[in-house]
Amino acid sequence: MRILLLGGTSEARSLAARLHPGVTVISSLAGRVPDPALPVGQVRIGGFGGVDGLRRWLLDERVDAVVDATHPYAATMTAHAAAVCTELGLPHLVLARPSWPAGDAIVVRSDVEAAKTTAANGFTRVFLTTGRSGAAAFKDVDAWFLIRAVTPPDAEDLPARHQVVLSRGPYRYDDELALLREHRIDALVTKNSGGAMTRPKLDAAAELGIAVVMVDRPPLPDGVRTVASVGEAADWVSGRS
Ligand code: NAP
C-alpha cells in the first residue's frame, strides 16, 4: 500500500507518524519554507509541475491512494489532486481540519475584499496574518500594519507603513494578548485556518474587543470525500489496505 500524503500541516505530520511503518507513506511538501518540519517516512519536496506532472508522478510511483492534508487555503494543490485522482480512478481523501466559528468577525471572500473592508472601516493599526501572498492586497490601504508571516513577503508589494514579524506557530494566548496591546492593534485580519496552533490570536482579539476580518476558506472541489481528523483519515487508509 503506497500513499501520497500531500502535507505542509501538523495534521499531515501526525498522519504520517500514525501510518508509518505499516503503510508506505510518501509525504509531499511544496518547498516554500526553509527548514520545514519533516514528517517521518519518505518525503519529496517541490511542486509536481501542475496536473500533468502530478498525473505522471502518481503513475510512475504506483501510488494506491492520495490523502490531501494540505492547508485549507492551498486550493490549487487540492484542485489538482482531486482532478487527477478522479481521472485515474485513484482513491482520494481530503483531511480538512474544522473551521473556527466566525463569531462576530466580518467574513469576506478574498484578500482584496479584506483590504477594502479594512479601508472602509477606517481601521488604523492592523495585525495582518494572511501570509506572505495575502499582504499584497493591502498595498494601497492607508493604515499601519503589523504583518506576521512564515517567510518574508516581497517588500515592493507591502503597504507603505508596516512592520514585518517572521515567525511560525504555535502561538500562546498571553503572547498574542501582549502583542496586540504593544502595537495598539484595532483590527485583526486572518484566514479561517482552524486548529489550535494559531487560534490564540482570535481569543486575544475577543478579549480586547478588537475587530476581526476573516478571509473565508476557498471551497473544496465538488464531490470530494472529506474527513475532519487525523484518526478518521488513518481509519480510511487502514480500510483500504
Ligand atoms: P497552492 O497555492 O494550493 O499550490 C500552489 C502550487 O504549489 C501547487 O500547484 C503545487 O505546484 C505546489 N504545492 C502546493 N502544495 C504542495 C505539496 N504539499 N506538495 C507539492 N507541491 C505542492 O498551495 P499554497 O497555499 O502555496 O501552500 C503551499 C504549501 O504550504 C502546502 O503544502 C500547504 O499545506 C502549506 N501551507 C499553506 C498555507 C496557506 O495559508 N496557504 C498555510 C500553511 C501551510 P505544482 O502545480 O507544480 O504541482
Side-chain angles (χ1 to χ4, degrees), residues 7-9 28-30 32 44 46-50 70-71 73-77 80 191:
T9 58
S28 177
L29 305 178
R32 302 274 154 70
R44 66 163 300 288
F48 295 93
T70 54
H71 190 271
Y73 289 76
T76 304
M77 188 70 252
H80 289 179
K191 292 175 177 170

Side-chain angles (χ1 to χ4, degrees), residues 136-180:
F138 292 79
K139 188 169 183 190
D140 297 324
V141 177
D142 182 21
W144 180 86
F145 291 87
L146 179 65
I147 300 171
R148 185 164 72 188
V150 177
T151 51
D154 295 332
E156 64 272 17
D157 287 341
L158 297 182
R161 295 183 292 124
H162 70 266
Q163 179 180 331
V164 174
V165 182
L166 297 181
S167 74
R168 200 181 293 188
Y171 299 103
R172 293 175 56 246
Y173 173 76
D174 288 348
D175 296 337
E176 298 292 57
L177 207 54
L179 192 72
L180 295 177

Side-chain angles (χ1 to χ4, degrees), residues 172-181 188 199-210 212:
R172 293 175 56 246
Y173 173 76
D174 288 348
D175 296 337
E176 298 292 57
L177 207 54
L179 192 72
L180 295 177
R181 282 194 174 121
L188 162 67
R199 156 109 217 178
K201 65 188 168 192
L202 283 178
D203 298 330
E207 171 66 20
L208 298 177
I210 289 171
V212 176

